[in-house]
Amino acid sequence: MRKDYLDIAKELLAERFPNAKCAFVAGSITRGEGTATSDIDLVVVHDVDILPRAYRDSIIYQDWPVEMFVQNTNSLAYFCKKDADSGAPMLVNMIAEGHIIPEGDQYATSLQNEARKAIGAGPAALDEEKIKQRRYMITDMLDDIGDYRNMAELYGMLGWLYQELADFYLRANRKWSGKGKSIARAMKKYYPEILPEYEAAFKEGSSGNVKPVLELADKLLAPFGGRYWAGLRSYAPDEANLGKPSEN
């Protein structure tokens, strides 16, 4: 029988990171949602002079898979800012929800309080131009799905739309989003009344009946102007217009 995940985390920290300022143990296992293959997510924070370069590492430690996010104080601020900009609070969530080691540590508690404030404040807002661009991409995909040619292509399009449609709806409403499996968790957290319809529509879509998916997408796009295709102009970045220097 494996040891308790908190005991494992404490032993790992003592053995490999004796000079760390603090750590946070997070992930599905800490929420009581773990499975037989769930890993321990471990955020370890150092001073910059102790750890000049942050890294991510995956190991097996005493029969436990452990994914380690080994940070210094600068990298921690950098990646938390990236979370806010992307709308997917991976690191921020781990700090906000994690178990602090050592327990009661004042510095770790201050980090956790800031992370929880960030979660409460929501991600960076999508500006009008980004909303138009996202509506355009979704509309373009909906047109293809509505007239799909074969099931292989349909599976690929539905996989893309499952992530992008939910991400758009969450971000356009200034809610935190997610990547991969965490997108469903985000929808469940903020829009539990929509998630069953969402799952049912894509289940039907995977069988070839795309009407529920199209109707769902129209429903979620409607508050932001609905489908949008004609009229979007996007300019190439400045460096694309400079041309390649001539060679003598």
Side-chain angles (χ1 to χ4, degrees):
M1 183 175 179
R2 295 191 299 183
K3 290 184 180 180
D4 178 76
Y5 68 88
L6 275 177
D7 291 335
I8 289 293
K10 290 174 182 177
E11 290 181 22
L12 175 58
L13 285 167
E15 179 181 318
R16 300 201 179 191
F17 306 106
N19 296 317
K21 290 173 69 68
C22 64
F24 301 86
V25 187
S28 60
I29 196 76
T30 67
R31 298 191 299 268
E33 301 171 355
T35 67
T37 59
S38 292
D39 59 11
I40 299 171
D41 290 332
L42 185 64
V43 180
V44 189
V45 185
H46 297 79
D47 283 321
V48 178
D49 57 345
I50 298 295
L51 183 80
R53 189 173 189 181
Y55 63 93
R56 180 173 176 172
D57 197 9
S58 300
I59 65 170
I60 302 296
Y61 184 80
Q62 296 190 34
D63 296 326
W64 273 99
V66 184
E67 188 162 17
M68 303 183 298
F69 303 83
V70 188
Q71 306 285 340
N72 60 46
T73 51
N74 289 346
S75 67
L76 192 70
Y78 171 84
F79 286 112
C80 286
K81 173 65 164 55
K82 285 197 72 173
D83 277 3
D85 292 341
S86 72
M90 183 182 75
L91 184 60
V92 174
N93 255 345
M94 286 192 283
I95 295 172
E97 299 177 355
H99 292 283
I100 293 174
I101 300 176
E103 294 177 5
D105 182 84
Q106 290 187 345
Y107 175 69
T109 299
S110 68
L111 289 178
Q112 188 165 77
N113 288 339
E114 287 300 312
R116 289 173 177 175
K117 286 180 184 177
I119 293 295
L126 293 179
D127 60 31
E128 183 179 351
E129 188 61 26
K130 287 181 179 177
I131 286 178
K132 285 183 178 179
Q133 290 173 352
R134 300 286 295 274
R135 286 168 58 206
Y136 172 90
M137 291 189 294
I138 291 171
T139 298
D140 197 47
M141 186 61 72
L142 293 175
D143 289 342
D144 287 342
I145 289 173
D147 194 26
Y148 72 91
R149 290 174 292 190
N150 58 68
M151 292 301 295
E153 290 184 1
L154 179 60
Y155 294 146
M157 293 187 290
L158 289 174
W160 181 93
L161 185 66
Y162 186 94
Q163 169 74 36
E164 293 299 317
L165 180 61
D167 183 66
F168 170 79
Y169 191 69
L170 289 161
R171 294 295 313 282
N173 282 295
R174 288 213 63 186
K175 306 297 184 186
W176 289 105
S177 183
K179 304 293 183 184
K181 63 184 180 183
S182 64
I183 193 73
R185 295 178 191 152
M187 287 294 286
K188 182 179 181 179
K189 177 179 180 179
Y190 294 112
Y191 300 104
E193 74 282 3
I194 294 177
L195 184 59
E197 180 183 358
Y198 206 90
E199 293 176 344
F202 278 89
K203 183 177 181 180
E204 281 294 306
S206 66
S207 69
N209 177 18
V210 299
K211 184 179 177 182
V213 170
L214 301 179
E215 291 176 345
L216 172 68
D218 286 331
K219 175 182 175 179
L220 299 188
L221 289 173
F224 309 98
R227 297 195 194 194
Y228 179 65
W229 194 85
L232 180 70
R233 175 181 291 188
S234 299
Y235 288 95
D238 290 341
E239 58 266 28
N241 296 297
L242 297 177
K244 184 179 179 180
S246 59
E247 297 179 82
N248 295 327

